[in-house]
Amino acid sequence: MDVENLLVRSEKVTPGGVHSNTRRIEPQIMPKKAYGSMLTDISGKEYLDYHAAFGPIVLGHSYSKVVDAVKDQLGEHGLYGVGVTELEVKTCEKIVEHVPSAEKVLITNSGSESTFHAIRVSRAFTGRKKIIKFQGCYHGWHDYVARNMLSEEKMIGKRDPGSAGMLDEVIDSTLVCRFNDLDDVENMIKANRNEVAAIILEPIPHNIGNVMPTMEFLKGLRTITEQNGIVLIFDEVITGFRHHLGGYQAICGITPDLTTLGKAIANGFPIAAVCGKSEIMDSFSTRPGGTALFAGTYNGHVVGTASILATIDIMEKENVHEHINTLGEKLRMGIQEIADRVGLEVTVKGFGSIFVPYFMSGEINNYEDLMREDTEMDLKFRRGMIEKNIFMFPIPMKRNHTNFTLTKKDVDITLQATEDVMKDIKK
Ligand SMILES: Cc1ncc(COP(=O)(O)O)c(C=O)c1O
């Protein structure tokens, strides 16, 4: 079967032929199967996969211990819609054990649901309407957060809804600040005194590659939110379990009030969570008297709980983070060295298992700084890598991920391809 035929067939029954916003890309890859670090497309071409499905694949595709754990449970368990299962309890106990901010946990099916609920409960808890997010950060598709994501330069910090059909009141209840700029946040809070319910951030904004927060910024956010009765939400949907079983908060030492988790927590199976201080979490309607509605037919499904527990078990027992971080560092250093030698203006950023070659030089502290990136060159590089069977997602600034099955040999192959593609670009 070829790519065009499948897409044409799919377009007849699905708008645009794909089931999520950015899956229709150039070159179009149609996956057939994936195992370990390798993804095979329907034409039989194999790729070393650094896209990792936008991040969930942290142990490797179809990782047998996780798949087997799910299979084992499926023979016995169905969907109950009543009470609680032991797998759900164990899952929440493990999250409480590892994630510093987690005193109580609720299970959802996606990161978007988790950020939605974190914001709704913050509003219920504080009795306030507005929230603050940061330019460039992505927290899912719902109206509360879908503004000022990958904005055009002229729309940075301005009113930039990410979708038609959003309600004006909702768009305007979400205020937008500059990342790593505490003064901007302070001024925004002053201008909206006693109106801000929550500040939500990706502690490392990986949706724009890899922008590191300064410790001063994170500490400042913690202080300012405490002083003003604002709920601090760390959206760790990408960073959670990928950088540490406790999320980035366990690394940076700043504990938010609420945390959202998803993606890597279950190595590709659909489960996510919202967790945090009991005082706030107890406002959810799962507790008698709780006022913030929380519901979901599939919440706590056995596929999700079995896979998250298996992923945690593997991360507790094996040197997952050491391995993926070491290879991440090798790739960051290797790509930077090649770019410098070839004479391309590239700054490789990253953290742990994530690496991002930006085609630019100079400081990178926020989305505004990334406007200096040569996105055409970035795209050319990514497409060149895809031609050489290395799958780096063909959208500028998208992050690349290592996984537990990736080998040093895979890294060498990647660096050789990088050198070939960069030399071609330089010509
Ligand atoms: C930081 C962050 N939060 C939330 C989401 C939404 O998660 P989901 O796609 O599972 O709804 C994403 C998805 O990319 C994300 O990167």
Side-chain angles (χ1 to χ4, degrees):
M1 205 186 306
D2 64 41
V3 169
E4 278 77 29
N5 277 344
L6 193 62
L7 194 57
V8 167
R9 214 175 111 198
S10 186
E11 273 177 330
K12 288 191 181 142
V13 287
T14 294
V18 296
H19 294 272
S20 186
N21 190 39
T22 44
R23 288 190 194 166
R24 199 173 166 138
I25 46 158
E26 192 52 53
Q28 187 64 66
I29 287 173
M30 295 294 183
K32 184 177 178 199
K33 59 181 182 179
Y35 190 78
S37 300
M38 302 306 291
L39 184 153
T40 309
D41 75 9
I42 54 170
S43 69
K45 196 170 170 188
E46 289 193 321
Y47 303 87
L48 256 179
D49 180 18
Y50 290 105
H51 172 45
F54 286 110
I57 309 304
V58 64
L59 299 173
H61 287 286
S62 316
Y63 199 78
S64 57
K65 284 186 189 165
V66 180
V67 174
D68 289 347
V70 173
K71 279 189 197 160
D72 284 351
Q73 296 295 338
L74 277 179
E76 196 172 329
H77 288 291
L79 179 66
Y80 307 118
V82 64
V84 69
T85 64
E86 197 185 0
L87 285 178
E88 290 173 293
V89 178
K90 278 187 181 165
T91 297
C92 298
E93 285 171 348
K94 276 290 169 194
I95 291 175
V96 168
E97 179 187 331
H98 286 292
V99 179
S101 63
E103 291 171 7
K104 294 223 171 123
V105 185
L106 281 165
I107 300 172
T108 68
N109 302 291
S110 70
S112 297
E113 287 172 63
S114 295
T115 58
F116 178 91
H117 284 300
I119 291 167
R120 177 188 267 173
V121 80
S122 300
R123 288 185 166 135
F125 182 73
T126 60
R128 299 173 181 177
K129 282 189 183 161
K130 295 181 181 171
I131 63 159
I132 293 177
K133 80 177 280 283
F134 293 91
Q135 176 67 57
C137 284
Y138 178 71
H139 302 289
W141 41 255
H142 56 84
D143 289 14
Y144 295 172
V145 287
R147 68 169 288 184
N148 294 81
M149 299 167 292
L150 300 178
S151 302
E152 281 177 48
E153 190 163 10
K154 64 176 192 298
M155 295 310 287
I156 287 179
K158 305 220 173 91
R159 193 177 194 275
D160 189 21
S163 174
M166 289 170 72
L167 296 177
D168 282 344
E169 306 85 293
V170 182
I171 298 167
D172 295 327
S173 297
T174 300
L175 312 169
V176 178
C177 285
R178 198 189 345 258
F179 196 78
N180 272 331
D181 185 343
L182 211 49
D183 289 343
D184 195 28
V185 180
E186 258 163 357
N187 291 335
M188 192 63 93
I189 291 172
K190 267 189 207 142
N192 295 273
R193 193 167 290 289
N194 296 327
E195 289 187 280
V196 179
I199 296 183
I200 185 165
L201 68 148
E202 295 179 70
I204 304 175
H206 281 309
N207 274 293
I208 46 174
N210 192 102
V211 175
M212 289 309 290
T214 65
M215 269 315 285
E216 187 198 351
F217 180 64
L218 292 182
K219 275 189 192 155
L221 286 183
R222 185 59 286 185
T223 307
I224 225 175
T225 45
E226 273 166 5
Q227 285 169 347
N228 290 277
I230 297 169
V231 177
L232 182 62
I233 306 170
F234 274 13
D235 179 359
E236 299 233 36
V237 165
I238 295 174
T239 50
F241 288 24
R242 176 165 282 284
H243 292 329
H244 193 286
L245 265 169
Y248 186 66
Q249 59 196 264
I251 297 171
C252 71
I254 305 291
T255 306
D257 301 306
L258 294 178
T259 300
T260 52
L261 298 167
K263 295 200 192 255
I265 64 172
N267 197 47
F269 284 96
I271 183 167
V274 52
C275 55
K277 280 189 179 152
S278 298
E279 199 191 355
I280 305 172
M281 293 292 292
D282 279 340
S283 298
F284 278 117
S285 66
T286 43
R287 188 185 66 81
T291 55
L293 176 63
F294 184 89
T297 301
Y298 297 109
N299 291 356
H301 192 284
V302 61
V303 167
T305 50
S307 54
I308 191 175
L309 283 168
T311 303
I312 293 171
D313 190 55
I314 294 158
M315 287 184 172
E316 283 176 343
K317 291 184 180 145
E318 301 185 39
N319 63 342
V320 175
H321 290 103
E322 192 191 320
H323 181 84
I324 61 177
N325 294 353
T326 302
L327 296 189
E329 182 64 8
K330 268 188 190 305
L331 283 156
R332 284 189 289 276
M333 287 176 60
I335 296 170
Q336 187 68 66
E337 187 275 323
I338 292 164
D340 292 347
R341 183 155 43 76
V342 171
L344 287 179
E345 199 179 323
V346 168
T347 305
V348 184
K349 292 282 182 192
F351 185 84
S353 59
I354 286 180
F355 63 101
V356 188
Y358 291 113
F359 284 75
M360 60 184 286
S361 52
E363 292 246 318
I364 302 174
N365 287 314
N366 44 48
Y367 185 72
E368 290 76 348
D369 288 341
L370 294 173
M371 293 300 106
R372 302 195 313 272
E373 215 236 358
D374 187 336
T375 49
E376 258 175 54
M377 186 103 77
D378 190 341
L379 201 51
K380 214 172 178 181
F381 171 69
R382 287 162 187 271
R383 289 182 177 153
M385 293 299 278
I386 290 172
E387 261 179 44
K388 295 201 176 294
N389 301 59
I390 311 286
F391 188 28
M392 294 183 171
F393 202 70
I395 290 184
M397 302 190 290
K398 279 289 157 213
R399 64 197 177 276
N400 300 291
H401 317 77
T402 61
N403 74 77
F404 194 40
T405 58
L406 195 76
T407 63
K408 285 196 179 119
K409 192 168 162 224
D410 295 330
V411 168
D412 291 341
I413 291 168
T414 307
L415 292 177
Q416 185 57 56
T418 302
E419 176 144 4
D420 295 346
V421 173
M422 286 192 167
K423 279 181 176 160
D424 267 1
I425 290 178
K426 183 68 185 172
K427 270 192 230 152

